[in-house]
Amino acid sequence: MPDAPPTPDGILLVDKPGGITSHTAVSRARRALGTRKVGHAGTLDPMATGLLILGIGPSTRLLTHMVGLDKTYTATIALGAATTTDDAEGEVTTTADASHVSRADLAGPMAALTGDIEQVPSAVSAIKVDGQRAYDRVRAGEEVELRARPVTVARFDVLAFRPGARAEVDVVVDCSSGTYIRALARDLGEALGVGGHLTALRRTRIGPFAVAGAPLADALPEPAAALLLPPAAAASRILPVARLDDERAANLAHGRRTPALAGEHGVVAAVHGDRLVGIARVSGNRLLPVTNFPT
């Protein structure tokens, strides 16, 4: 009997088009790679486009170290109307004439929404309230009020401004994980006194990973294994690297602590040659295994 093909293993960067869910993108990656073991490091709404990070095979173990990475988005905010979902898919709740708003008027409110801020997430977020997703409660007709949460918006800049009764603002946002761009659109509109909501959203970066060059999620070649970023290369982009000799690699591979070398600190990608042995943590003068990877 011929040997079974090796299980695909690595990180796949894909560009999600609008109109499909992140779950659909994962399903298409499963088909293109011939494996069920595909996970993600954070979803996008169906309306949104841009970068999804998918973990394939054993590399799904890396995703927990990627979900908290900071992100970059480009977006379009419509001023002059607020919606139930803070984006174009919701019902309009209030309208106002935004024709008096100028580009200069944006500077103060956008500065106030930059830095370390307390942000109230959109009511249709995936945050759980008493064990149920907030968006499920909203769809059931409940009024949901979520608590403000600390987030960091490192950049909230105007790319273009189109004045009018329904003014539009193209923006770029650098932010911490957990920041809701819909909420920034809502809060900007409220600060300007005209209401606002999101009409377009694209994620262009997650940590060190960019959408540029990523294949479309609905056009993956089959097989798609050649598109995978090897585990060691992916881990080395998000964590400091501990280079292991044979002895230290064997220890960590078998779940044993092993001596740490000078200059190794914190959580590290433990690499032997071009292979990721695992994720390890330095404690005192020892490397302790956190997540092991198969040989």
Side-chain angles (χ1 to χ4, degrees), residues 139-150:
R139 289 168 184 162
E142 296 183 37
E143 287 193 11
V144 174
E145 292 186 9
L146 298 175
R147 294 179 180 177
R149 305 189 307 172

Side-chain angles (χ1 to χ4, degrees), residues 22-23 26 38-43 52-55 60 63 67:
S22 297
H23 177 73
V26 169
V38 178
H40 61 76
T43 61
L52 290 176
I53 295 179
L54 305 182
T60 54
L63 296 177
V67 293

